[in-house]
Each structure stands twice: as structure tokens, then as C-alpha cells.
Amino acid sequence: LLRGWLEDFAAALTVVPKHRKESYLKAMELCPDHVQDESFRMQFIRADYYDTRKAATRFIKYWKAKEYVFGAKAFHRLSLDDLSEDDLATLRRKAYLGLPKRDAAGRALMFSCRQKFVFKERRNILRLMFYLVNNLLERDMSLQTTGFVVIVFEDGAFDLKKYDRKLDNLMIQYSNEVWPVRFVGFHYCFDSKFQELVLPFGLYMLGKAMRARFRLHPGSRKRHRINDLAEFGITPECLP
């Protein structure tokens, strides 16, 4: 069965026109062992629930996104050395990180607090996210089937001038279409009355599939947030 999935995946890659898979072809030339690593390819097949055509599309998008984010450094296995001081600034502020504990279902927890993001360019955040997702998968392959849950804390008044819509769009796109993971839940926690009014409209724009995985948690951390998250198997001990 495994061999059949890998063969179907390889066949799906061959039928994609060359102009749509330039980064993938470059990777095949510069790091063929990594690109053809069967365990690596299986990450994408599992991420798309064994639909090899969708997995091949994700694989091609992965290499295109990775080259966009890392440039020439894209064509080898990622390590911490591939991140600059600017890339690590947000991690050091604990504004985006993988949490050490799992939720009640055994799923990995990613934590984000965008108000604490520090970056000179969007790629600083995207490089950090690429590395963290890759690192978690390499450490625990069971996450391929259990999936990831993202927890976002947004406290204080919403400042539209500081809101980076393009970065948000890229983060959502990479989560859904690029990385070989199943993001099975998103918990957006906030205390802004303005966001409480507008977020339901924003969710509508994300589409039905995304809405089904998205949960809004208005209110302060002390009064509402902890109890709300606990109902989804995310206990206070899991949170930073």
C-alpha cells in the first residue's frame, strides 16, 4: 500500500507542467536525496489524507514557497543555522512557538501573539514558522496523523495601522496549502469589542472548510479564555 501511494505521488508530479514546478525541479537538481526521500514524501501524502494528487500539488507549492522564503538556502534540510537573528527575534519574545505540552487528543499546540511579533520583513516570520513546523514533525512523526492546533492571543485595542493583511494571508495559505501538516483547529482569543463585531465577517471570507476549524474566544484571559480553551482539551498547563 505504501509503495502504491509513493508511485501514484511520483506519477502526479510528472504530469505537472514544467513552468508550474520550477522550484521543485531546482530542488531535484540541488538536493535530490532530500526531495526523493520517501519518508519526506509521505509527510505530504498523509497531510492530504492519502490523496496523492493533492499531495503532489502541496509538494510543488512547498518548494516554491520555501525558495521564496529562504532563497538559495531552501535546497537542503532546514536547521537552526538557517535562521538569522531577525528571524529568531519573535521566538525569543515567545510570540510564536511550539508549546511543549499536547492537548487532550495528543495534538501539537502552536502559540501566536502577533502583537509581540518583531520583524524587519515578512520573511522573518515565515522562516521561523517553516523551521518550527519542520522541527516538530522531525521530532514526533505521530503529529502527521494527530495534527496541529493553533492558539492565537490578541489582547488590547485592535490597531488597523499595524495590521499586516498580507502576512496574515501568507500564514493562512502556508498552513492550508504548503506545509505537510494537518492544522485541525484554530482558537482565536481576543478582548477587543471591535474584533468581536468584525471577526464573524472575516471568518465568512475564509470559506466553509476553514470556518469549521476556527473558534472565536472573546473576553479577558482571566474571565473567559482559560475555561473556553479547557473545553477543547487545552488545559491551563498547556499555555505559556
Side-chain angles (χ1 to χ4, degrees):
L1 193 58
L2 181 68
R3 179 56 50 196
W5 285 326
L6 288 166
E7 289 175 355
D8 289 347
F9 178 83
L13 288 173
T14 61
V15 300
V16 177
K18 288 185 178 181
H19 70 274
R20 289 180 51 200
K21 56 181 181 183
E22 292 177 353
S23 297
Y24 159 74
L25 292 174
K26 190 181 295 186
M28 281 289 289
E29 180 182 350
L30 298 175
C31 54
D33 291 343
H34 180 32
V35 178
Q36 298 180 83
D37 185 308
E38 292 185 350
S39 62
F40 181 54
R41 291 188 168 203
M42 281 303 302
Q43 291 183 13
F44 292 82
I45 294 170
R46 293 190 192 98
D48 279 302
Y49 298 91
Y50 304 96
D51 185 322
T52 52
R53 289 186 180 182
K54 287 183 178 179
T57 298
R58 183 184 296 269
F59 197 61
I60 288 169
K61 288 182 177 180
Y62 172 87
W63 285 108
K64 181 177 181 179
K66 193 178 180 187
E67 184 178 20
Y68 167 75
V69 171
F70 285 95
K73 291 184 178 181
F75 303 108
H76 61 244
R77 296 181 186 274
L78 290 179
S79 72
L80 194 60
D81 293 336
D82 293 314
L83 302 184
S84 69
E85 287 301 311
D86 291 332
D87 300 337
L88 292 169
T90 293
L91 179 63
R92 293 199 171 102
R93 296 192 71 186
K94 297 182 178 180
Y96 193 90
L97 69 160
L99 299 178
K101 293 184 180 294
R102 304 286 187 254
D103 71 1
R107 298 173 297 197
L109 299 174
M110 304 291 292
F111 175 78
S112 172
C113 182
R114 291 182 302 177
Q115 291 169 321
K116 294 183 179 180
F117 280 12
V118 179
F119 58 95
K120 292 182 178 179
E121 60 170 346
R122 297 184 183 100
R123 286 183 177 91
N124 296 138
I125 300 297
L126 297 173
R127 279 192 287 268
L128 175 62
M129 294 178 73
F130 252 98
Y131 171 75
L132 289 176
V133 169
N134 179 78
N135 183 255
L136 282 169
L137 288 176
E138 287 190 347
R139 283 166 36 199
D140 187 353
M141 288 300 294
S142 70
L143 298 178
Q144 278 275 284
T145 52
T146 56
F148 285 56
V149 173
V150 179
I151 306 164
V152 179
F153 281 8
E154 288 285 343
D155 294 314
F158 180 75
D159 188 344
L160 190 59
K161 293 180 180 179
K162 295 182 180 179
Y163 174 61
D164 192 328
R165 185 171 62 88
K166 186 171 182 179
L167 177 60
D168 253 19
N169 288 341
L170 285 169
M171 291 167 66
I172 292 171
Q173 178 191 350
Y174 287 9
S175 298
N176 287 331
E177 302 176 12
V178 173
W179 291 315
V181 295
R182 300 173 184 175
F183 283 96
V184 296
F186 294 83
H187 295 274
Y188 192 89
C189 308
F190 60 97
D191 60 7
S192 163
K193 291 295 183 183
F194 174 75
Q195 290 200 73
E196 192 169 354
L197 291 172
V198 302
L199 279 172
F201 297 99
L203 278 182
Y204 180 79
M205 300 301 293
L206 290 177
K208 184 177 180 180
M210 190 70 169
R211 286 199 304 273
R213 291 175 282 163
F214 219 100
R215 295 291 182 272
L216 300 179
H217 303 281
S220 70
R221 177 171 184 170
K222 183 177 180 180
R223 293 180 55 196
H224 302 286
R225 194 170 301 169
I226 300 299
N227 290 337
D228 283 358
L229 292 174
E231 292 181 5
F232 291 90
I234 303 170
T235 61
E237 294 77 22
C238 295
L239 301 172

